[in-house]
Amino acid sequence: MTISLEEVENFLKDTGGKIDMNKKPIPYLYLDDETGQPMLMNEKCTIFFSETISILRESLHRVIGEGSELVLRVVGRDMGKKYAQLVMKQFPELEDVSKITQIHELCSIILRNTGFGKIKILELDLKKPFFKAVIKDAPSCLNFSSQPTTYNLEAGMLSGILGRILGVEMAVAECEYNKEEDNYEVTLRRVAE
Amino acid sequence: MNVIDVRGDICPVPLLKCVREIKKMKKGEMLTVISDHPPAKRSIPIEMTEQGHKFKIYENGPEFKIEIVVN
């Protein structure tokens, strides 16, 4: 399936910056529900955004060493906040649903649509200062061979998304790779005010 | 009978259409949501639980329907 530039421009012009939910969305980058395969415009995708992140990680590590992972957490947090703002701007009705649902929706939408993987939330209680989730089908680590697998950028993204929704600063407390299941367990903690 | 068919819609549209419809309804009324987007099978129940409504999910191959009773 191909979409002309004119069709995209018309779509954007028609929406006026907001998504009309009665119209079919333009197909975009996402992970196939069954296979986890990245898809773009309904076709299998071989080069995707997360590939760029792998290269960025490697370059950063080469320049500043171990501190690069901390930098990636900060970059990820800012990305997560920005993506959350963009989704909320496109779908203002999301402000009307509960914070719990907002967290589930935004984390899932943003990770899937940027090609970072699927999220399963393990612990989410707004009264507690921490949040725990597992991220799977994450393609960003696949071609990153020279450094041990980490997931700090994506964990940072989650902290940014939660920070935007809850209006508090969230920090990455732990980010562990589970080699057997090929997934990542991320723990975020509310920063003391 | 209130039915919304959100087949072909992806997140967060199924959830938002469901919430929009529920707002128009009265206590005791039922809404049926038909979808084929797996993440909606999770997001809609989460929000319905948060809002205190009762629901049941019926699977039918790749499609499913959620029956919600407004509380």
Side-chain angles (χ1 to χ4, degrees):
Chain A
M1 180 179 181
T2 55
I3 295 175
S4 70
L5 185 60
E6 191 183 351
E7 282 177 290
V8 175
E9 283 173 349
N10 287 338
F11 176 84
L12 292 173
K13 199 161 54 182
D14 289 349
T15 61
K18 291 180 181 177
I19 301 295
D20 180 348
M21 290 188 290
N22 295 315
K23 288 184 179 175
K24 286 278 177 198
I26 292 179
Y28 50 93
L29 179 64
Y30 65 99
L31 299 177
D32 183 86
D33 288 318
E34 299 298 324
T35 64
Q37 165 75 41
M39 307 285 283
L40 182 64
M41 301 289 184
N42 289 339
E43 291 180 4
K44 282 185 182 176
C45 176
T46 51
I47 299 173
F48 35 91
F49 173 64
S50 45
E51 197 84 14
T52 309
I53 302 304
S54 291
I55 297 165
L56 173 70
R57 276 190 66 203
E58 192 143 318
S59 302
L60 271 175
H61 194 270
R62 209 166 46 237
V63 176
I64 58 175
E66 293 300 316
S68 62
E69 293 302 321
L70 185 62
V71 172
L72 284 168
R73 283 187 187 183
V74 175
V75 172
R77 186 194 62 200
D78 293 348
M79 284 170 64
K81 273 187 186 166
K82 187 68 185 173
Y83 281 134
Q85 282 170 4
L86 289 172
V87 174
M88 295 303 267
K89 191 179 170 189
Q90 284 186 332
F91 300 100
E93 285 173 280
L94 273 172
E95 296 283 3
D96 298 336
V97 304
S98 68
K99 298 283 186 200
I100 297 277
T101 307
Q102 281 183 27
I103 290 169
H104 276 273
E105 281 292 271
L106 263 70
C107 288
S108 172
I109 290 168
I110 291 169
L111 285 181
R112 286 165 59 90
N113 294 331
T114 50
F116 281 119
K118 294 179 190 169
I119 184 168
K120 182 183 177 190
I121 295 176
L122 301 178
E123 287 190 55
L124 172 57
D125 183 342
L126 298 184
K127 290 174 189 160
K128 293 181 180 172
F130 60 87
F131 163 92
K132 196 174 271 193
V134 162
I135 302 171
K136 60 177 184 173
D137 293 335
S140 66
C141 69
L142 297 180
N143 298 313
F144 190 74
S145 54
S146 69
Q147 299 298 326
T149 303
T150 63
Y151 214 51
N152 285 305
L153 183 109
E154 296 81 349
M157 282 175 74
L158 293 181
S159 73
I161 296 166
L162 263 77
R164 162 64 179 79
I165 295 169
L166 300 175
V168 294
E169 202 67 33
M170 299 291 290
V172 180
E174 285 176 51
C175 178
E176 287 182 10
Y177 178 57
N178 181 344
K179 195 173 181 181
E180 278 181 16
E181 295 182 24
D182 192 26
N183 63 25
Y184 304 83
E185 190 167 310
V186 178
T187 305
L188 306 179
R189 191 166 286 278
R190 193 178 299 162
V191 177
E193 291 164 9
Chain B
M1 188 177 170
N2 300 287
V3 180
I4 51 170
D5 185 348
V6 292
R7 282 176 290 189
D9 287 335
I10 58 170
C11 280
V13 177
L15 167 74
L16 296 181
K17 283 185 175 175
C18 173
V19 169
R20 188 193 289 172
E21 205 62 28
I22 289 277
K23 274 186 183 172
K24 300 179 200 164
M25 296 169 63
K26 293 175 185 163
K27 188 174 178 177
E29 287 187 311
M30 184 191 280
L31 173 68
T32 302
V33 182
I34 304 168
S35 175
D36 56 4
H37 183 54
K41 209 185 316 181
R42 193 192 55 185
S43 62
I44 292 174
I46 288 170
E47 181 60 15
M48 293 305 104
T49 303
E50 286 293 305
Q51 292 192 11
H53 306 307
K54 290 179 180 168
F55 60 87
K56 275 186 183 171
I57 303 172
Y58 300 90
E59 310 262 1
N60 183 18
E63 296 181 3
F64 58 93
K65 69 173 181 176
I66 306 176
E67 286 183 353
I68 303 157
V69 178
V70 178
N71 192 9

